[in-house]
Amino acid sequence: MSKGLLTAFKRLDRLLGNRRQLFELGLLLLIMGVAFTIRVLPMRWGVTLSEFDPWVQYKEAMYIIERGWSGFSEFFTWHDTESWYPWGRDMGRTAFPGIPFAMAFIYLLLKSVGLSPDPLELASILPVVYSLAGVALMYFLGRQVAGSATGLAAALFIAVSNSNISRNHLGWFDDESLSIPLMLLGFTAYLAALKEGRTVRGVVAYSLLAGGAMGAMAASWGAHKFPLALIPFFAVIASLLGKYSTRLLIATSTAFSTYTLIAMSVPKLGPSYIFETTLFSGFIGVGILLIFEIANRYIPPQSRRLFIGGLFVAAAIFFSAAVLLGVLGVPGLKFLSVALPQLRDALPIVISVAENQVPTWSIIFSDLGIFLIMAPFGVYLFLRRGGLPSLFIVIYTILSVYFASSMVRLSLIAAPAVALAAGYAFTYLFSQLGAIMSSVRAVRRRGQTIPLGYSFITPAILILLLGYSLLPAAYGGLNLRGEVSISPVDQGYQPVTLVTGSFPTRSVLADWMRALEWMKANLPPDAVVMSWWDYGYWITVVGGHKTLVDNGTLNSTQIGEVAYAFMSPPATAVEVLRRHDVTHVVIFVTHQFVSQGGQTFGRLLGFGDEGKWIWMLRIANQVGYKFVESEYLDSNFQPTQKFWDSTLMGQLIPYKPQQTQFGLGHFYNPSNLENFRLVYASSPPYNSLAYVYVYEVVYPQL
């Protein structure tokens, strides 16, 4: 016992005796501290979940926790009757289990050792914990590719990345918070498996770790297709560039088979998932690697190029034929539209969500920050450096930045690549400066002088730009058009959506919280609530009542029915609601009222249903109803009088248009509807910016 303890102390002494490692560890812990501080800034407004999807993840985790360890198996037979009324939802077959399973496992493990954390607080803090793991893994990935200095720079850059912060801050209990660290672990382990001199046993071990991490990511995140397809795609490109080795075949085939088996075991994906194009392309990739292996072993050098080229063309023809004949399923339009953004116009349900739209340059710059400027130079340096890890990062960076420029939410996948490329460029410039200064000192010792000239200019500019990009807008930091800040502090220092009443502000607007509490306490247990799908999770999970549609957007036909009801005249809408047993209708309206110098002016702001109704019209058209958009929307993109007079939504919005000396305004003038009785308003007129209205449906006698 004492001998083992002495050995442990000796190892610790050797570790601490290595000052370089100790210094790197200290810097990494400091960077993780910065990441933690930024991501817990929303705690100022309380601890709860952010946005919408985290609430259903929390609901799924609580289902398991309430049943104990058996809940993990019962989850896959769970039919939820509170959502998508009257059909309900098979949660085990329509939801990714990764996030709720991870939380339930952690909670039950803590409970088994006598600790009982509050589940909501645990769900809120876990994304921050996952983000710290992501920062550490970013360091190891950077060190694997280009050394410790690059790893530390990449860790710092991902710690202050707006895109990364937006998806793993306090309360963001959703897929991406866990999936990005798992993706980084998978990439790091895969590149470790490719390291020169690695034994076969080591290659297999690291590849299994990579496959396990990527498989867990596939069980957690719908956007897993790109990371899974990237590994075999990279292996094929590397082989075509003359970098094939048996080690590449073993690592790729082991990782691919591992994460494919895990993905197939997820009920939402199922065994048939192997016939989906993006995953099946991995089989083609491994097959091409086998062709290279056979060529290297059995084909004479003078015939290898012809042999490989012929079989490569045959594989491409086979793959294309399988897709055209329908043997392989193509990804849905939502995923295809990432590569071909013009396809998104055919999907109003998808494009109605801001994060699914094509980003503007200001959004891209805000998400990826000043590091986007340094990334191209980093890509060039990686190309010049050569080697498999460098090639992997180059391919990852180019593809992910392209996809991020196609869809707002995909900047999250590009953020690690940009951080790594920028980190390498950053450390290279400073290493060059260090080399120049060392040579200057050596020359000065010989009594000569060499002017440093412009050697300091580029690093100094980078430091100034980086420092300025971190500065909050309130202290003079960059704020594009007064709307988009590039400061990570501004990104982190925001209350969660429920606290702000789903309104873009840093103030507490308790309207949605009050409305949900009122619904939970006052609506009858069998109430069925119709709202636009944005608020479905809130009404079901927090408000405790059945809804027709929610943020899962599982049934576009039912969403179209809700859209049709809102866009129809009240008499028609009542019959649609009767078919679905709807008892109450909820709408959300944002309105600003200003009184100054004896003058008053009010206007709808467009953040609520008064701005979303156009998507209701388009989605209703998508499922087969016929609305002429120009009859409801004028050339100035304002709703016409027909919208206000002839649609249920126009009638339910209590603020009606009225011309004033300031232009078109909107004033409180609720309609007197025979079949819809207002039973709750979250705030009196003109007393808030966000209003939730609950109407009871009064059906006419048949």
Side-chain angles (χ1 to χ4, degrees), residues 41-53:
L41 288 175
M43 191 177 291
R44 174 192 167 182
W45 293 276
V47 178
T48 189
L49 301 183
S50 184
E51 292 292 338
F52 306 100
D53 290 359

Side-chain angles (χ1 to χ4, degrees), residues 119-138:
L120 185 61
E121 292 179 356
L122 179 63
S124 297
I125 198 65
L126 277 178
V128 180
V129 176
Y130 297 152
S131 74
L132 299 183
V135 170
L137 288 165
M138 195 75 236

Side-chain angles (χ1 to χ4, degrees), residues 217-248:
M217 180 197 64
S220 306
W221 194 23
H224 63 263
K225 290 180 172 63
F226 169 70
L228 294 194
L230 178 62
I231 286 179
F233 178 76
F234 151 76
V236 170
I237 296 298
S239 300
L240 292 174
L241 293 176
K243 299 180 182 298
Y244 174 79
S245 66
T246 302
R247 184 173 58 256
L248 181 63

Side-chain angles (χ1 to χ4, degrees), residues 39 55 119 121 151-152 182 204 224 311 338 366 401 430 507 538 596 682:
R39 285 158 177 79
W55 287 100
E121 292 179 356
L152 288 170
L182 287 172
V204 172
H224 63 263
L311 290 181
V338 174
S366 173
V401 169
F430 277 87
S507 303
W538 282 359
Q596 186 174 3
S682 61

Side-chain angles (χ1 to χ4, degrees), residues 293-353:
E293 181 68 17
I294 293 171
N296 284 353
R297 286 177 179 265
Y298 304 110
I299 305 300
Q302 61 272 20
S303 304
R304 284 178 188 170
R305 181 172 296 181
L306 181 62
F307 174 79
I308 293 172
L311 290 181
F312 187 86
V313 171
I317 293 173
F318 168 78
F319 183 75
S320 302
V323 172
L324 292 174
L325 294 174
V327 177
L328 298 180
V330 296
L333 273 179
K334 178 179 178 180
F335 292 96
L336 284 177
S337 68
V338 174
L340 303 169
Q342 60 270 26
L343 295 177
R344 217 164 299 159
D345 292 337
L347 295 170
I349 290 179
V350 173
I351 202 172
S352 66
V353 182

Side-chain angles (χ1 to χ4, degrees), residues 37-103:
T37 302
I38 292 174
R39 285 158 177 79
V40 297
L41 288 175
M43 191 177 291
R44 174 192 167 182
W45 293 276
V47 178
T48 189
L49 301 183
S50 184
E51 292 292 338
F52 306 100
D53 290 359
W55 287 100
V56 77
Q57 302 277 14
Y58 176 71
K59 176 182 178 178
E60 294 164 14
M62 289 304 299
Y63 178 89
I64 300 170
I65 288 171
E66 289 166 359
R67 288 157 180 78
W69 294 105
S70 65
F72 290 101
S73 59
E74 293 179 31
F75 176 84
F76 295 109
T77 59
W78 174 24
H79 182 78
D80 178 30
T81 57
E82 296 178 345
S83 58
W84 296 95
Y85 181 88
W87 321 109
R89 176 181 179 182
D90 289 326
M91 297 298 288
R93 295 185 175 277
T94 59
F96 286 106
I99 289 289
F101 272 39
M103 175 188 161

